[in-house]
Amino acid sequence: MEGEQYYRLSDIGEANRNWNEALSLRQQLFGDSSAEAGVGYAYQARYHAYMAGPQLDHRSVAFTEASRAKHLIGLRKDVVKTDERIFVLREFANAYKLLYVVAKQDPGDGYQRSRSFFNDALRIAEQTKDTLWIAQITHDIGNTFTDQVIRQGLPTTTIELRILVDSALMHYQRSMDLLTAFGQGSSEAMMTEHLTTALLYKAAYGEDSLQNTIGAYDQALLNMLAPYDGDRQQDPLDFEPRLTNKAQMVELLYLRALSIADPSQEQRDTLRMRLALRSLEAAVPYWQAMLRDYRSRDLQNVFGSYSHFPFRYGTHLSAELYSLTGDRARLQQALDWYDLDRGALEQRDLLRSGAASVEAAIDLENNGPSQLPEGTILVAFHSYPWLMAIVMDHTGTRIIQPGGKELIGVELVKLGTALRRAMKEGNVEDYRRTANALYVHTLKDVLEGEKVKELIIIPDGSMALLPFEALVTDTTTGRNWGDLPYLCSRTTVRYARTIREALRPAVTLADGDLNYTVTDVPGLSHLPFATSLVHRQEERAGIPLSAAPLTCARLGTLMHREAALHIATHADALEKPDAVPRLLLADGALTINDIDSIGCTAPLVVLSTCSSAEGRVFIGEGVMSLGNAFLRSGAQAVVRTLWPVDDQATSEVLERMYGYMDEGRTVSNALSAAKADYLRQHADGALANPFYWAGIVTTGVEVRPAPRKTSARPYWWMGGACIAAIGAGAGYRRRRRSKSSSARPES
């Protein structure tokens, strides 16, 4: 029952924790193949069906769990309560709809088939005269007609459209009548009827039904407020702090704003845009209360789904209004909301520590772009509903639409996928073409004609996995990996997560203040070059060579020291539902959740691992990666990897980076110089492929080492040269094969 209560609040992580405990108890008491366990699996299906909104691969898991539940209760109908049978059949129908209908995998009439499954549950509810279940499943059937309008596009004829709309409305009206007769006329269940009615009007009739759509959203909001309002007529945009289901209010207000100022409209009406912003502004206190009050440890599952994110469209609207009107208050709002649209887990921690609200990104009037030295440009990308960029330099701030067209996020994802494929296959021509297309779509308009010493990039969503420094600035020069005109040949590139982070002053390390660690992981390959690098760095720093394995406990101790930290080990970011990235250590795995719990005071963390920048993307947070976990936990900057990198090449680049840091260069500048050296050394071979060097990036605040008393560069250079001459031997030479050779990741 507790799980169901949290589910009604959209606190899905806490709901699932309770459902998992209940399933475990059912398995212990009745067995894993019992009908009672089948009910538990239906709750697992409910969780994965919820998560299928933001993470599509949950669909198949939901259907698998629902199918198992349906099979198990069918074996022993006598031991399962009627309401539990209805619940299982309903979850099966919903999971089928998500997998085979919404995903368009059903070769036949999937909508009709899903209605027949819902009708299986409805018949039992009607036999037992369970009014609430009848209302719920009737509503579900109505949703299949609404889905048909939304997912398949408008029918070819007016009559077909009218049939679908009338069918949906008939089911919604019947459900509302049942709820009213049962005394639930002002309940959240009734709210759902108005919400789906609004979605139906918007999908079917667009602008022609705007008044009806907004009216339905307002009625849904009033339904939510009714228990706290008494007889007083409340403005649906008023904030009610006693309301428990904050996430639902955020969703309603967000969808209401999208209907008022539809991003697909060719002619943008500033009045409607302001009205839409007012709706989103009304959602903000609910958002902050949600972060403060909800218990889910995996809160990204809540705010990253079902329109629980007011700042996503709000950033675009306020920026667009500034571009149209010149109103600097809207520019300030765009900057503030841009930062609020990412890093929600850190916002949660701040609010729970007692803060009344989250601070603004920057103060445009007294601060901001003036902090940037001449020759530095900051580009903050925002990809919804199409790509735009906030550009800052020492002269001020501007909003642009890169590439001169409305590029949507899915097109960027396709280009990013093609870029990785070209690297993996060793296809220089495909890489050059794709890397230049990405450059044109993202940075060409910003950098054209500019002399840029440092470029600070704040990517959005999956753009965080793009190696911007390896983009190609033109297609007329260079035919081999080593002579392509990479962006990094023109400027140093540093990444940040927010505008606030990008503008923070540099952090200075104490002299010699760096802990080096490396470990072997049982059952996985040895990392010979990473190990040699750590030993050479320790020798140069006069640190006794450490033979102690890197365990979870030892790493936790090092994370609490105020010294930079180098971690060389295996890591993974598995592509399966609910998997989280993890560091693989001598005695087990350390996940991003563990890193969040431990905290980190190391100012700089260098992750010499595979895929430490990879992970699932959640709206409102960003990429749930190992690198971001260290930043979220307190590290000021992280050097991390965008994909499964090569041990030898990565160690070579990092050793060169440390050499330049010994000379006093900042981390981003040292890494940029290290990559340039690497490219010059390997310019004639396949190792110039960006796969080997471009995946190592630095994110966060700039870090400046204390200057050494004497330069260690000659000793470092000799150590770097040894890498090419020994250890690798013939193996390394074999991998320096022809220009057409493919790049192969090493775990």
Side-chain angles (χ1 to χ4, degrees), residues 437-576:
L438 279 165
Y439 175 75
V440 170
H441 288 317
T442 57
L443 290 172
K444 182 179 179 179
D445 291 346
V446 177
L447 302 180
E448 197 83 353
E450 297 283 348
K451 293 183 178 179
V452 184
K453 296 178 181 177
E454 181 187 32
L455 178 64
I456 307 172
I457 294 176
I458 308 175
D460 187 34
S462 60
M463 293 178 73
L465 301 177
L466 289 176
F468 281 89
E469 55 262 71
L471 298 187
V472 173
T473 56
D474 71 68
T475 57
T476 61
T477 59
R479 288 292 180 270
N480 303 312
W481 289 118
D483 56 13
L484 291 178
Y486 297 114
L487 177 61
C488 61
S489 66
R490 294 176 49 185
T491 183
T492 294
V493 178
R494 171 166 64 96
Y495 299 86
R497 297 171 299 156
T498 63
I499 297 172
R500 187 188 306 112
E501 182 175 78
L503 295 178
R504 283 179 186 154
V507 174
T508 301
L509 300 176
D511 189 20
D513 214 3
L514 208 157
N515 291 312
Y516 298 95
T517 66
V518 66
T519 195
D520 283 326
V521 179
L524 296 179
S525 61
H526 177 57
L527 300 172
F529 301 98
T531 301
S532 297
L533 167 61
V534 167
H535 289 168
R536 282 193 297 273
Q537 291 300 113
E538 288 177 326
E539 288 174 354
R540 290 178 50 250
I543 303 171
L545 296 182
S546 173
L550 183 59
T551 62
C552 295
R554 181 170 173 240
L555 180 56
T557 299
L558 294 173
M559 287 168 61
H560 283 166
R561 294 181 183 173
E562 295 186 4
L565 177 59
H566 176 105
I567 303 171
T569 185
H570 289 278
D572 61 37
L574 300 175
E575 282 296 318
K576 63 180 183 180

